[in-house]
Structure formats: structure tokens, C-alpha cells
Amino acid sequence: MEIPAVNLKAIVLVHWLLTVWGCLGLPNSYAWGNFTVLALGVWAIAQRDSVDAVLMFLVGMVVTVLTDIIHFGIFYPSADLVGRDLHRFSAGMAILSLLLKPISCFFVYQMYRERGGEYNINFAGFPSLSRNRDTYESIDQQGASGSQPKPFQEPKPGVRAY
């Protein structure tokens, strides 16, 4: 089954909208963390060939999954809320953003691979990171022709090396 192509702009736009709505009832630390990661997403959009930008956006999304869970654990059950409906809406949008982040991380990882990222994640069994060494060429096997001079070869007698 082929994985559908999802535009990075759509991922950033959806998470930006959900983060704006989520900021209505959550503390400033939620906003700072998520908007910083979304800035990395804008960087990944602006530099289409940058593997580093997509990797940093991916790592930031994974980290914000953990920080969002911590924010909900600390700030969600507060009973002294001024606008109860506003807080419920805000929490609902932030929870929706949290639920969409693993799916977004999967699509961002696919973009990372398309841009030339070199780490494979094995989803079967235990997750493990491994480098793809299919195109690896050993230095020892390059240029096996004997016509090239060797850099540490002794000079021939009668020829002075200055």
C-alpha cells in the first residue's frame, strides 16, 4: 500500500490553527513550545532541500508530544476557570492537536527520507535506528589501477626529491 503524499504546509497550517485555539486556555509555556516547533516547520518549508530542517521539525514534534501530555496533566483539571466553555474548547483543540501529532510525525519522517535522510526506523518488533549502507564504498577499493602514484612511495634512486 502506497503512503499518500501530505504537504508540509498543510501539516504546519493545521497544527498552527490547533495551537492558536489551544493557547486560549493553556499557559504560555504551551504556546512557546509549540510555536517554536512550528517555526522549525516554516524553516523546513522555506528550505526544500534541507535535511536538517526536517529532522529538527520531526524531533521537535516528538518532544512536544511529551510536553503537551505534561501540560494536560498539570493544567487541565483546574477548577477555578473564568470561562468554562472557553477552557473546554481550548483543551479540546489542544488534545486534537496532540492526537494528530503522531500521524504528522509519520508524514514528516517520510519527507525526511525523501529529502535524503539516512536513518531507518524498523517498525516491526522493537524500534531500532540503523544507517543505510547499501551505497557505501570503501576507501580501500577506490582506484585499483596501478598507474596512479602512491603518496608515501620512496623516491627512485637518481631522482632528488626537494
Side-chain angles (χ1 to χ4, degrees):
M1 184 168 124
E2 187 175 328
I3 299 168
V6 176
N7 194 351
L8 189 60
K9 293 176 187 177
I11 292 172
V12 171
L13 179 67
V14 166
H15 284 287
W16 176 79
L17 185 63
L18 292 173
T19 300
V20 166
W21 285 340
C23 289
L24 296 174
L26 289 171
N28 290 336
S29 58
Y30 175 82
W32 276 102
N34 282 291
F35 284 130
T36 302
V37 172
L38 291 174
L40 292 173
V42 170
W43 176 36
I45 291 170
Q47 291 188 347
R48 295 180 187 267
D49 296 334
S50 176
V51 177
D52 293 334
V54 175
L55 181 62
M56 288 182 67
F57 181 54
L58 177 62
V59 170
M61 291 284 281
V62 171
V63 168
T64 57
V65 168
L66 299 174
T67 59
D68 288 355
I69 292 171
I70 292 170
H71 278 104
F72 295 139
I74 294 172
F75 295 106
Y76 183 70
S78 61
D80 56 341
L81 301 172
V82 176
R84 185 166 170 83
D85 292 335
L86 177 66
H87 181 67
R88 286 177 52 196
F89 174 76
S90 171
M93 294 299 110
I95 289 171
L96 182 61
S97 176
L98 177 63
L99 291 174
L100 289 177
K101 279 185 184 180
I103 298 166
S104 298
C105 287
F106 177 74
F107 287 122
V108 172
Y109 176 72
Q110 294 300 323
M111 290 174 208
Y112 169 70
R113 296 288 297 150
E114 288 172 2
R115 290 188 185 189
E118 54 188 48
Y119 287 104
N120 294 327
I121 296 177
N122 183 11
F123 289 112
F126 294 105
S128 63
L129 293 174
S130 63
R131 284 185 173 243
N132 184 4
R133 303 230 183 226
D134 294 339
T135 60
Y136 178 76
E137 183 178 326
S138 175
I139 295 175
D140 297 334
Q141 296 174 359
Q142 284 181 348
S145 65
S147 65
Q148 295 179 353
K150 296 182 180 176
F152 299 110
Q153 187 177 11
E154 293 289 327
K156 295 180 182 177
V159 178
R160 287 182 107 164
Y162 293 100

